[in-house]
Every structure is written in structure tokens, then in C-alpha cells.
Amino acid sequence: MSFIRLLLLKQTFFPVSVLKVLLRYAKPYRWYFFGAISAAVLVSCSSVIALALVERGTAAFISAQIDELSNILIITAVVFTFFGFITFIQVYLSAYVGQRVATDMRQISLQHVLGLSIAFQNRQKTGDLMSRIHQDIQIIQHGMGRLVTRLIRSIFMPPVVIGYLFYLNWKLTLLSVFVLPAFIVILGR
């Protein structure tokens, strides 16, 4: 199994040098990549808006305020439509970058293989060589296409949610953020 395939399948250790090489291939598509990352940040922020709408909707439902509840339902529909549109943009742009990077890598790999000596070509089975190249590039395509934006969403979502929780009730949030993890660590031992 190749080095890149092991790195991306196990997802345990990702050296900075490999990341720099992958980002070098993505450089021509940096605006699409930036758009995908921006959309991932917007998706993270819109999830907090959905939390706020659920909280307000629940309060309006409990207090039987039908007019406010109907307004909240309309706003919720608009927010979730926006959320779906931004998610589509994020998936589309990240898939586009992944496809373009994979296409570029396939071209470079093919040019490299064609430039190798005839002795090398005779020693290697064509199917094995093409299969390895195709699988490695497909894994890289998946990594460039989806994993990067998921990583960005995972980085931005917790601070945004914790910020909203501080807005709602700072005392309970402090208890949740600091005391509960320590309690879990103590119980886990």
C-alpha cells in the first residue's frame, strides 16, 4: 500500500510536507477552495441561528403566541433554505476543487509514467501500475473534496455554539465547558 493511501485511510498522522504538496496542486483553484471554506464557515454559523429559532419557537409554542409562532416558522423555512443553498455551494465547490486537483495529478502521473524507461515498463504490470495510481489519486480527491471542508466546519462549529451558549446563560456554559469535562476525566480513570 502506498504512503499517501496509508496516510489518508488511517487518518492518524498527516505530515505538513504532504499537506504542502496537496495545497500546491490546489493553488490554481484557490478561489474555489476559499469559497468552499467560506461556505463551511457560514454553515457553522447558520446552525447557531437554527438553535436560536428552535429556542424562540419553543417559547412561542409554550406561551401559545400563534402570530409569533407563525413568523418564526416562516423565518425558520427561510433560514433552512439558505442553509441548504450554502451547503450545496460548499459541497459543489469542494467537489470541484477535488476533481480538478485529481485531474491535474492524473495528467502529471501519466506524463511521469510515460517518461520512465522501457526496462521499467517491462518489469511492471500495466494494470497494477494504473490501479495504484488511480486509487491513490481517488483517495486524494476525496481528501481534497470533502475532508478539508468538514475539518473547517468542525473547527468553527464549537466556538460558535459555545459563544451562543454564553449569550444564553454564561454561568451554565462555564459549568458545562470547564467542570463537566474535568468530571468526565475523573470518572474515566
Side-chain angles (χ1 to χ4, degrees):
M1 202 173 245
S2 74
F3 175 71
I4 293 175
R5 192 176 315 158
L6 281 174
L7 287 176
L8 292 174
L9 284 178
K10 291 187 177 181
Q11 297 176 358
T12 55
F13 177 67
F14 201 75
V16 175
S17 60
V18 174
L19 185 61
K20 284 181 182 178
V21 170
L22 291 177
L23 288 176
R24 192 177 326 137
Y25 282 106
K27 189 174 182 178
Y29 314 106
R30 64 183 165 267
W31 294 111
Y32 296 104
F33 194 64
F34 178 73
I37 290 172
S38 300
V41 171
L42 281 175
V43 166
S44 299
C45 293
S46 63
S47 64
V48 171
I49 294 170
L51 284 173
L53 287 171
V54 167
E55 185 257 333
R56 283 191 172 178
T58 305
F61 180 75
I62 289 172
S63 63
Q65 297 174 346
I66 302 300
D67 292 337
E68 186 177 343
L69 185 60
S70 63
N71 289 340
I72 289 173
L73 288 175
I74 291 169
I75 293 170
T76 303
V78 169
V79 166
F80 276 102
T81 302
F82 176 74
F83 179 73
F85 179 72
I86 294 299
T87 302
F88 170 76
I89 296 282
Q90 175 211 341
V91 169
Y92 177 79
L93 289 176
S94 61
Y96 178 79
V97 170
Q99 288 285 335
R100 298 309 312 156
V101 167
T103 300
D104 293 348
M105 291 182 82
R106 282 187 186 103
Q107 281 183 321
I108 291 169
S109 298
L110 180 65
Q111 289 173 354
H112 178 72
V113 169
L114 290 175
L116 294 173
S117 68
I118 302 253
F120 174 81
Q121 303 288 350
N122 287 336
R123 283 192 314 262
Q124 299 293 324
K125 294 181 183 177
T126 306
D128 290 343
L129 189 61
M130 294 306 291
S131 175
R132 268 203 245 139
I133 291 172
H134 177 71
Q135 287 177 355
D136 289 349
I137 292 175
Q138 192 171 13
I139 290 169
I140 291 170
Q141 176 184 351
H142 175 71
M144 289 295 293
R146 293 190 183 109
L147 294 179
V148 172
T149 52
R150 286 181 187 167
L151 176 69
I152 296 297
R153 255 196 309 199
S154 298
I155 289 171
F156 277 96
M157 182 93 57
V160 169
V161 170
I162 289 172
Y164 179 68
L165 291 175
F166 268 109
Y167 169 74
L168 288 178
N169 188 341
W170 66 271
K171 292 177 185 175
L172 188 59
T173 304
L174 281 176
L175 179 73
S176 301
V177 170
F178 294 113
V179 175
L180 288 179
F183 186 68
I184 291 171
V185 167
I186 290 171
L187 286 179
R189 290 183 182 185

